[in-house]
């Protein structure tokens, strides 16, 4: 609690509880997104479908994230942020309760799509609400505390949901996630106070963010530069068992290091972003290149592979920095830009898994996913360089333009 107090210096207890309430929503969304990955065999057997068909359930959720983020931001431009958060939690809970009782494969696909619709919009709007509660110098850390619910879901929510699903089936897991959504709704309703509407807010103003090159560059950094984490994590189990020689019984313990790394990255990255935002983005992209490029070597031993998993999890430190950067460059379209950040990360997920799979299929081995990720991080660094150069040019010419 002292850590939160230091971040939210000068805030009332009610405001701190509001950030906690939104973090609970983040925890529920993260648990719902990741839990299904450990339950695909159970789901496939229960519905009588193949493993690839079961994987489409995850794709349907990701598609919902990509579609829902801009759609909610544009259609909800004239709504208050608190009602939007509450409405998104209702949709999230209903989508998961519906998934728990889905009668067949087709209906489950539709319900997972619906469950994904609130994802990006919720994180974007919650980030804006949290940032509005603190001074400028604490924005990233306030946003980071909301996102902490997402990273903790990989450390706590994922193994608990997997354990529940393996013991009772995948349906109770979705029902449990729905319950978390109900709890988050109640906490947000209780602790997030109504906020004044943004003056002049409209769908057109939100869409104005898409006219700004810096918005596209920041989203590109997320979609390309951050794909390496997903390239590795998608195929991390065979990497651990077949390359590093990790006993199958130890795999959950090694994977827990990924959650530890994500949690540490979230906390440390947010603090760094408040002190030096652009240096944090550039530095973390360079860190990604080094960590990912070393995986083919590090994965040759249990210790090296475990350290790599921890470090790959830590690369999530860039997420809060990119979210904060979008607040700075989106002008009147902050809600749309903030929600698109999570759509970009889902695109990174898809691209990382695709390119990593292509390298494996080409015969380069499981460790090649790290090289693929390093190349993607280099791409992110190139976009970052363009962003910095463009910003310097705009700053240089700003006085002349004003005259």
């Amino acid at each position: 609690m002292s850590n939160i107090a230091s971040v939210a210096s000068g805030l009332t207890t009610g405001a701190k509880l509001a950030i906690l309430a939104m973090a609970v929503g983040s925890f529920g969304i993260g648990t719902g997104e990741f839990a299904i990955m450990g339950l695909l065999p159970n789901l496939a057997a229960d519905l009588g479908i193949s493993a690839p068909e079961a994987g489409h359930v995850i794709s349907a959720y990701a598609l919902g994230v990509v579609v829902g983020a801009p759609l909610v931001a544009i259609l909800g431009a004239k709504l208050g942020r608190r009602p939007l958060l509450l409405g998104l939690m209702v949709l999230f809970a209903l989508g998961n309760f519906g998934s728990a009782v889905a009668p067949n494969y087709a209906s489950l696909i539709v319900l997972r799509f619906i469950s994904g619709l609130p994802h990006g919009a919720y994180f974007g709007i919650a980030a804006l609400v949290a940032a509005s509660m603190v001074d400028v110098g604490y924005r990233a850390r306030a946003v980071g505390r909301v996102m902490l619910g997402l990273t903790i879901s990989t450390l706590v929510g994922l193994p608990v949901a997997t354990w529940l699903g393996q013991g009772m089936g995948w349906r109770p897991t979705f029902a449990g996630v729905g319950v978390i959504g109900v709890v988050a709704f109640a906490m947000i309703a209780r602790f997030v106070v109504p906020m004044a509407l943004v003056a002049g807010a409209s769908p057109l103003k939100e869409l104005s963010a898409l006219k700004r090159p810096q918005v596209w560059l920041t989203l590109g950094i997320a979609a390309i530069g951050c794909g390496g984490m997903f390239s590795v994590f998608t195929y991390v189990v065979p990497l651990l068992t077949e390359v590093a020689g990790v006993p199958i019984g130890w795999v959950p313990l090694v994977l827990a290091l990924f959650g530890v790394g994500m949690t540490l990255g979230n906390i440390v990255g947010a603090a760094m972003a408040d002190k030096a935002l652009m240096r944090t983005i550039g530095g973390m992209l360079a860190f990604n290149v080094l960590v990912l490029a070393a995986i083919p070597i590090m994965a040759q031993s249990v210790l090296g592979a475990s350290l790599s998993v921890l470090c790959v999890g830590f690369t999530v430190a860039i997420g809060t920095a990119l979210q904060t950067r979008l607040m700075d460059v989106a002008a009147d379209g902050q809600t749309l830009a903030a929600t698109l950040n999570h759509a970009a990360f889902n695109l990174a997920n898809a691209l990382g898994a695709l390119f990593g799979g292509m390298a494996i299929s080409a015969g380069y081995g499981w460790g090649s996913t790290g090289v693929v990720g390093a190349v993607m991080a280099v791409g992110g660094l190139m976009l970052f360089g363009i962003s910095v150069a463009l910003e310097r040019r705009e700053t240089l010419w700003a006085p002349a333009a004003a005259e």
Side-chain angles (χ1 to χ4, degrees):
M1 196 67 188
S2 61
N3 191 28
I4 293 178
S6 65
V7 171
S9 179
L11 289 181
T12 64
T13 300
K16 296 172 189 176
L17 288 171
I19 292 177
L20 175 62
M22 292 185 289
V24 171
S26 300
F27 176 79
I29 291 176
T31 301
E33 179 183 18
F34 293 117
I36 187 61
M37 296 179 183
L39 299 175
L40 283 184
N42 309 63
L43 187 148
D46 186 54
L47 295 178
I49 57 178
S50 67
E53 286 176 319
H56 294 163
V57 173
I58 297 176
S59 300
Y61 182 93
L63 181 61
V65 177
V66 174
V67 172
L71 191 64
V72 172
I74 294 170
L75 296 181
K78 292 187 176 182
L79 297 177
R81 288 171 178 168
R82 180 175 179 270
L84 270 177
L85 286 175
L86 292 171
L88 291 170
M89 270 297 105
V90 169
L91 184 59
F92 173 75
L94 290 176
N96 279 281
F97 283 134
S99 299
V101 296
N104 51 48
Y105 173 65
S107 62
L108 182 61
I109 288 289
V110 173
L111 287 162
R112 293 320 293 160
F113 174 81
I114 292 172
S115 299
L117 290 174
H119 182 123
Y122 177 85
F123 282 115
I125 295 167
L128 292 172
V129 172
S132 70
M133 296 178 175
V134 298
D135 295 333
V136 172
Y138 290 96
R139 288 181 308 160
R141 276 168 282 185
V143 172
R145 294 310 177 269
V146 173
M147 302 304 167
L148 194 59
L150 176 62
T151 57
I152 290 178
S153 72
T154 65
L155 187 60
V156 179
L158 174 57
V160 170
T162 302
W163 171 80
L164 177 65
Q166 291 176 344
M168 303 176 63
W170 57 273
R171 294 182 186 276
T173 299
F174 281 134
V177 172
V179 170
I180 298 175
V182 172
V183 172
F185 174 90
M187 292 182 68
I188 292 170
R190 174 65 179 83
F191 297 120
V192 177
V193 299
M195 306 174 68
L197 293 174
V198 178
S202 70
L204 286 179
K205 278 199 171 183
E206 290 297 336
L207 287 169
S208 69
L210 301 181
K211 298 179 180 179
R212 297 180 171 272
Q214 291 289 7
V215 169
W216 285 107
L217 285 168
T218 305
L219 293 173
I221 291 171
I224 297 174
C226 300
M229 178 181 74
F230 300 103
S231 175
V232 172
F233 192 65
T234 301
Y235 307 100
V236 69
V237 173
L239 177 70
L240 293 174
T241 57
E242 298 186 27
V243 180
V246 176
I248 191 66
W250 290 13
V251 168
L253 295 177
V254 178
L255 292 183
L257 292 175
F258 183 79
V260 172
M262 288 186 70
T263 303
L264 291 175
N266 181 281
I267 296 171
V268 175
M272 292 193 307
D274 274 330
K275 293 180 180 179
L277 180 61
M278 294 300 283
R279 289 181 182 178
T280 298
I281 295 174
M284 284 309 305
L285 286 169
F287 177 79
N288 285 8
V289 174
L290 295 175
V291 168
L292 294 166
I295 281 180
I297 299 174
M298 297 290 287
Q300 298 302 315
S301 69
V302 173
L303 180 60
S306 300
L307 180 60
S308 290
V309 169
L310 177 69
C311 290
V312 170
F314 188 85
T315 62
V316 79
I318 197 175
T320 300
L322 291 174
Q323 187 79 64
T324 306
R325 171 67 172 167
L326 284 169
M327 295 180 191
D328 292 337
V329 299
D332 293 328
Q334 285 198 355
T335 302
L336 177 59
T339 58
L340 284 176
N341 189 43
H342 295 275
F345 271 101
N346 270 266
L347 181 57
N349 189 346
L351 291 176
L354 173 64
F355 295 149
M358 290 171 63
I360 294 168
S361 298
Y364 292 108
W366 301 110
S368 64
T369 57
V371 178
V372 169
V375 172
M376 295 184 75
V378 170
L381 267 174
M382 294 174 64
L383 291 176
F384 175 75
I386 295 172
S387 176
V388 171
L390 181 60
E391 189 168 80
R392 287 177 178 173
R393 189 182 71 176
E394 290 173 346
T395 301
L396 179 65
W397 286 97
E403 292 175 3

